[in-house]
Amino acid sequence: MRALLLNPGPVSLSEGVRRAAVSEDLCHRESEFFELQDEVRAALTALYGCAPDEWSAVLLGGSGTTALEAMIASLVPRSGRLLVLENGVYGERLTRIAQIHGIAFDSVKFDWLDAWNLDSVRDALTRAESRGATFSHVAAVHHETTTGRLNPVSALANLCQEQGVKLLLDTVSSFGAESIPFESSALVACAVTANKCLHGIPGLCFVLAKRITLKSSAEPPRSLYLDLKLWSGHQERQSTPFTPAVNGLLALRQALAEMKRDGGWKARHARYTRLATAVARALSVAGVEPFLPAADSSSVLRAYHLPAGMSYEAVHDGMKQRGFIIYAGQGGLMGRMFRISTMGDISDYDLQRLESALASVFQ
C-alpha cells in the first residue's frame, strides 16, 4: 500500500498524472512541445476565468520559490518600492528575495500566530507617501502554510486599489483551491507551483500576470533565468529561451484535465474542506486541538497542537508506520505543532484509513 503524502506538497499523484509524466519523450524545439505549452498556458489562465487578452501564464522550471523570485525581481521596476506583509516563514521569504535583488522595500511584521492588521498596512502606505517614499507594490502571502492561515487577500486588494498600489501575491499553496481576487484592478500577478493544489509533479511553476505588467517589467532585468519578460516573449511566439520542464508540463496537462472533469477549483475547495473537517473531527475525538480556528484556516492545510507529553517525532513516526506522511512545525513552532494537508489524490477509503491511524497514534 502506498504512503499517502499529507505534507504541503509535493502531493500524492493520481495514476493518470503519474503515467502522463513519463508518457512520451518530447524535444522542446518541436511543434508537439509547443502545442503542449500553449495548451497548458491556456488552461491555467482559464482556471479562474481570467481573460486571455488581459492575463498570461508564464511557465518556469523550478519550485514555487522560483516563481516568487521571478515575479518580484521582474515586476518591481528599478524605480519602484515594495511593501512586504509578513506573518510567517513565507512572508519573510518575500522580504529576503527583495533584499537579495537590491529592491527598495519595507516590511510590516506580524506575529506568526496573528492575522494581518490592515490598518497597520494602510498606515505604512500613507506614512511612506507623506515622506516621499511612495510604494509601487505590495507583496503578500495568500495561504501562509507556516500555520495554515488563509490571509484576507480580497480586503488587501481593496486597500491596494484604494491606495493606488499594485499587488503581487504568493498563491503557491492556494491557487486551485481558494478564491483569489482576480477581479481587482490592484492584483497584477500571482506566483504558483504545479505540485500543490493543481496535483502536478515537482519541478514546474508559473507566474500568472497581467500582460500590461509584463510589458513594463524591470529594465534592465535583474536576472537572466528569472526574467519573466524573456520567458513570456518566447512562449508567446511558440519558443522557449532555455530547456523547460517537459515532463512537468505533460503531468500538469493531465492534472488540469482531471481538475476540470471534477468541477474546477470550487469543487476542489469543497473536497479539501470536507477532508480537512473530517481530519479535525477525528483529532478532536482524540483530544488534539487545532492551532487556529477553522474560520481562519485554509481548506488546504490545518495545524494542530502537539499534545502534552508527545513529541513530533513520535507522532510522525507513528503515522508513517501506518502509511501517512505528516509535516512538522517551522521555526519556533517546531516543538508545539504539526500540520496535515488534504491536497492530492486522497480517496474516501484513504480518509477512513487516516481516521483509524489518527485514533491509533493519539489513543
Side-chain angles (χ1 to χ4, degrees):
M1 186 175 293
R2 66 173 181 164
L4 198 68
L5 302 182
L6 303 177
N7 50 274
V11 300
S12 293
L13 302 174
S14 72
E15 283 303 316
V17 171
R18 188 177 288 109
R19 287 194 299 268
V22 293
S23 59
E24 55 184 312
D25 297 323
L26 286 180
C27 173
H28 64 292
R29 298 298 178 189
E30 293 297 315
S31 60
E32 292 84 359
F33 170 76
F34 295 123
E35 290 168 6
L36 168 66
Q37 182 172 258
D38 287 349
E39 184 179 348
V40 170
R41 292 179 67 223
L44 291 170
T45 306
L47 188 58
Y48 280 84
C50 296
D53 61 342
E54 183 180 0
W55 291 87
S56 177
V58 186
L59 301 168
L60 300 160
S63 68
T65 302
T66 305
L68 291 170
E69 191 163 359
M71 177 177 71
I72 292 171
S74 297
L75 301 184
V76 179
R78 291 182 176 273
S79 59
R81 188 174 189 85
L82 183 68
L83 181 66
V84 182
L85 277 56
E86 299 180 12
N87 64 341
V89 167
Y90 298 97
E92 293 176 1
R93 183 170 297 179
L94 297 178
T95 292
R96 184 67 180 133
I97 290 169
Q99 287 175 328
I100 288 171
H101 287 280
I103 295 169
F105 77 94
D106 285 309
S107 299
V108 184
K109 300 177 185 289
F110 304 97
D111 189 271
W112 285 9
L113 302 184
D114 291 341
W116 298 333
N117 181 325
L118 292 181
D119 287 338
S120 297
V121 179
R122 180 182 282 105
D123 287 346
L125 292 170
T126 55
R127 283 198 310 271
E129 186 172 2
S130 68
R131 66 175 191 264
T134 306
F135 289 103
S136 59
H137 293 74
V138 169
V141 178
H142 187 191
H143 172 212
E144 181 52 82
T145 54
T146 305
T147 58
R149 181 178 293 281
L150 193 67
N151 284 313
V153 293
S154 291
L156 177 63
N158 290 339
L159 174 59
C160 289
Q161 189 169 319
E162 168 197 313
Q163 297 290 321
V165 180
K166 296 174 182 176
L167 177 60
L168 305 174
L169 280 182
D170 172 348
T171 60
V172 167
S173 58
S174 62
F175 188 95
E178 301 289 355
S179 178
I180 299 170
F182 286 110
E183 72 283 356
S184 171
S185 62
L187 179 60
V188 296
C190 58
V192 191
T193 188
N195 65 287
K196 293 187 186 287
C197 301
L198 300 181
H199 297 184
I201 66 172
L204 177 66
C205 61
F206 63 95
V207 176
L208 189 60
K210 285 186 174 174
R211 291 180 178 275
I212 192 169
T213 301
L214 289 168
K215 289 179 181 177
S216 59
S217 59
E219 292 290 350
R222 294 185 174 96
S223 170
L224 172 63
Y225 191 81
L226 300 177
D227 180 12
L228 286 180
K229 192 171 185 179
L230 175 68
W231 283 96
S232 176
H234 277 268
Q235 290 171 8
E236 285 293 310
R237 59 178 185 269
Q238 290 199 318
S239 180
T240 180
F242 309 106
T243 306
V246 178
N247 297 83
L249 278 168
L250 289 167
L252 185 56
R253 176 172 63 182
Q254 175 64 25
L256 289 168
E258 292 178 6
M259 189 173 189
K260 184 177 181 179
R261 177 201 67 197
D262 294 339
W265 76 263
K266 291 182 180 179
R268 184 147 292 175
H269 172 83
R271 173 69 176 169
Y272 285 177
T273 301
R274 187 172 79 81
L275 292 171
T277 301
V279 169
R281 184 168 53 245
L283 285 168
S284 178
V285 168
V288 179
E289 298 297 325
F291 214 77
L292 296 178
D296 295 335
S297 302
S298 75
S299 65
V300 179
L301 176 145
R302 305 280 173 90
Y304 298 91
H305 287 278
L306 281 167
M310 290 192 76
S311 68
Y312 171 73
E313 289 75 19
V315 175
H316 171 272
D317 293 352
M319 293 299 294
K320 188 172 184 178
Q321 288 168 9
R322 292 163 176 81
F324 299 95
I325 306 299
I326 64 169
Y327 223 50
Q330 292 174 280
L333 300 178
M334 187 173 296
R336 298 173 56 190
M337 56 113 95
F338 64 95
R339 295 174 289 170
I340 292 182
S341 172
T342 47
M343 291 186 289
D345 184 45
I346 302 174
S347 68
D348 288 347
Y349 173 66
D350 293 325
L351 178 60
Q352 292 173 5
R353 291 196 303 116
L354 174 57
E355 290 172 330
S356 297
L358 291 169
S360 179
V361 168
F362 291 102
Q363 64 182 356

